[in-house]
Amino acid sequence: MNCCSNKPIIELIAGEKLCKNHFIEYFESKVFKTIRQFDLIGKEEHLGVALSGGKDSLTLLCLLSKLSKQNPKIKLTAIAINEGIENYRDKTLETAKNFCSKNNIPLKIYSFENEFGMSLDNALKILDVKPCTICGIFRRYLLNKKSRELGFTKLATGHNLDDEAQSVVMNQFKNNMQASARLGPKAGNDAGTASGTNPVGNKNFVQRIKPLYLCTEKEVTVYAFVNNLLDDFNECPNVAKSYRAQVRDMLNNFENENPGTKYAIINSFLQVLPDLKKRFKGEDVNSCKECGEPASKDKCNACIFVEKLEKAKLKAVS
Amino acid sequence: MMKLKVFYDRESKEKTIELGNNATIKDLLKKMVINPVTVIVSKNNDVVLEDEKLKDKDDIKIISVISGG
């Protein structure tokens, strides 16, 4: 069924076909409804927006910027991490810088090189580890630490429905329900107290929010396309080796045969998420004895990897 | 038969694809063995649906929805 007499640009899972204007209206209202439904943003916030320069984070920043213009008490700062991946991150960071400068949004950039003494590319030369494992740990560590230091009340990320469905399935396949308990539109178990939102959580944890939670990757791409937010195709060179990429491809094949699969994964997950959060309450509230960042054990994973890197560096020069 | 020039961003190159008359975007993706869930397609710079009919000289771009890491 078409929305109006204008030419449709997208067909929704339910079969409705939307023209450009009705799609923009549909997409924006879905994101703002998600923000209200899950109480993601309060009346007064200093939001950090994790920005990679890809379509998801640019779409998120574009929408939050609209929200901020309507509500001056919602302040935005973009934060980007330069992992040091040649021919990839340098390009997306350029896009991120241009967008922020054009839209007058402050942007803070931190690098693995400065913060951990080595770029990801160089770390992978001396450490036998899956790239996405060390990259994810260091990136999440820096985003949380810098968000707290910059005084963000929350950190918004561009995770979409496809990302979350992949995470849910990956955790099932690895029998890691504790990790699933940390998912959801408001991420983290006992979600953080740096913003004073939960007295049980770790005080060093900055609450993460996902306003694009119910938007499919395809919807985000169409929105980015019609709003000129799409840059040239750019995929991390390490992604092909990842477990996530295998699950992503499997889910996309399944979605093609059985439309609505990813929505079903998320809708059923949201039904059990409150029980999961209760079940694992309090299990992630330790602080790392080395750096004080949130950790599930005595030491956080970032400090464990920094130590491994130091040892590998010594071994490489001896 | 028609010959179409198609740019697929994931491969960063333009390909010439031969399709029968009255072919649609769906036929094109099938021929290129691309899962429609993973892409959006623009014809002459407008996003179009899978049932869109194609003509010779249409400017077709296949844009991957997968990005990042």
Side-chain angles (χ1 to χ4, degrees):
Chain A
M1 193 180 65
N2 287 17
C3 62
C4 65
S5 56
N6 292 331
K7 196 170 180 180
I9 62 165
I10 192 165
E11 180 172 357
L12 305 180
I13 295 292
E16 198 180 357
K17 295 175 180 178
L18 301 182
C19 71
K20 181 180 164 183
N21 289 342
H22 280 115
F23 170 69
I24 291 174
E25 199 180 301
Y26 156 85
F27 185 87
E28 292 185 351
S29 73
K30 178 146 94 168
V31 174
F32 294 132
K33 194 177 161 198
T34 302
I35 290 171
R36 287 194 303 274
Q37 184 184 344
F38 297 104
D39 191 24
L40 300 186
I41 298 174
K43 285 184 180 153
E44 194 169 344
E45 303 265 14
H46 180 187
L47 294 178
V49 184
L51 186 64
S52 67
K55 66 173 193 319
D56 300 296
S57 60
L58 284 175
T59 295
L60 175 68
L61 189 55
C62 175
L63 289 170
L64 291 181
S65 170
K66 285 187 181 191
L67 190 71
S68 172
K69 278 176 192 156
Q70 289 162 8
N71 303 278
K73 286 186 175 174
I74 297 172
K75 193 180 152 196
L76 299 182
T77 299
I79 174 168
I81 305 296
N82 185 356
E83 303 92 343
I85 306 170
E86 213 183 334
N87 291 325
Y88 170 62
R89 186 55 78 212
D90 36 359
K91 288 180 192 168
T92 65
L93 278 179
E94 218 36 57
T95 310
K97 281 182 204 166
N98 290 338
F99 183 87
C100 288
S101 126
K102 211 168 131 189
N103 292 282
N104 278 324
I105 298 167
L107 168 66
K108 302 278 182 185
I109 302 177
Y110 302 95
S111 71
F112 281 12
E113 180 91 52
N114 287 341
E115 303 292 331
F116 302 111
M118 201 177 275
S119 70
L120 181 67
D121 283 348
N122 286 335
L124 293 173
K125 282 177 195 159
I126 59 166
L127 212 56
D128 184 20
V129 62
K130 285 183 182 162
C132 298
T133 305
I134 184 167
C135 183
I137 287 169
F138 279 176
R139 195 155 21 95
R140 281 191 296 272
Y141 170 92
L142 276 186
L143 282 173
N144 189 69
K145 185 178 174 199
K146 299 300 175 184
S147 293
R148 194 179 61 250
E149 288 171 3
L150 291 164
F152 298 160
T153 50
K154 284 169 189 150
L155 177 69
T157 66
H159 290 99
N160 57 46
L161 184 126
D162 289 51
D163 298 323
E164 189 82 349
Q166 288 155 19
S167 298
V168 169
V169 171
M170 284 161 70
N171 292 338
Q172 286 277 1
F173 284 4
K174 293 194 166 188
N175 187 23
N176 191 352
M177 298 318 285
Q178 186 170 0
S180 279
R182 291 191 290 263
L183 296 174
K186 259 184 174 173
N189 207 2
D190 294 325
T193 52
S195 55
T197 53
N198 187 329
V200 187
N202 187 305
K203 63 180 171 42
N204 287 332
F205 179 77
V206 178
Q207 171 93 83
R208 294 190 305 275
I209 56 166
K210 304 172 188 170
L212 306 183
Y213 194 82
L214 298 177
C215 302
T216 65
E217 189 133 47
K218 194 160 192 160
E219 287 173 341
V220 178
T221 310
V222 172
Y223 185 83
F225 182 92
V226 297
N227 286 285
N228 295 319
L229 298 171
L230 271 189
D231 216 339
D232 292 341
F233 178 77
N234 207 344
E235 187 174 48
C236 175
N238 297 321
V239 80
K241 301 164 194 162
S242 75
Y243 189 68
R244 177 174 290 276
Q246 294 176 50
V247 171
R248 177 193 72 195
D249 294 344
M250 181 199 73
L251 280 181
N252 283 336
N253 289 336
F254 210 76
E255 178 77 31
N256 191 32
E257 296 294 324
N258 306 277
T261 296
K262 290 179 210 168
Y263 272 114
I265 291 170
I266 292 306
N267 287 334
S268 56
F269 176 68
L270 284 173
Q271 287 179 47
V272 298
L273 184 59
D275 294 324
L276 277 180
K277 290 213 182 275
K278 260 187 232 162
R279 161 72 179 79
F280 292 102
K281 196 172 182 178
E283 292 200 13
D284 277 334
V285 294
N286 292 332
S287 295
C288 173
K289 64 180 183 187
E290 301 282 329
C291 67
E293 284 297 301
S296 54
K297 296 169 193 151
D298 285 355
K299 220 186 231 189
C300 72
N301 283 328
C303 284
I304 292 171
F305 270 105
V306 166
E307 209 172 277
K308 281 184 183 173
L309 262 185
E310 290 303 322
K311 280 183 189 163
K313 258 198 267 182
L314 287 175
K315 206 175 160 189
V317 293
S318 65
Chain B
M1 292 294 276
M2 64 174 148
K3 275 187 184 177
L4 274 176
K5 284 192 175 166
V6 179
F7 179 80
Y8 184 21
D9 69 348
R10 206 159 190 206
E11 293 173 355
S12 298
K13 63 179 175 192
E14 196 173 75
K15 282 182 174 176
T16 304
I17 306 286
E18 269 194 42
L19 288 168
N21 295 329
N22 293 322
T24 62
I25 297 286
K26 193 176 181 176
D27 300 321
L28 171 69
L29 295 179
K30 200 172 173 186
K31 177 127 189 181
M32 292 178 75
V33 199
I34 295 172
N35 179 348
V37 172
T38 64
V39 294
I40 65 170
V41 181
S42 78
K43 185 178 105 171
N44 307 326
N45 290 323
D46 286 323
V47 187
V48 288
L49 298 184
E50 277 181 60
D51 57 8
E52 179 79 9
K53 288 207 170 128
L54 295 165
K55 287 198 304 276
D56 260 338
K57 294 185 185 165
D58 276 339
D59 174 22
I60 302 295
K61 286 194 182 81
I62 300 177
I63 301 152
S64 178
V65 305
I66 296 161
S67 62

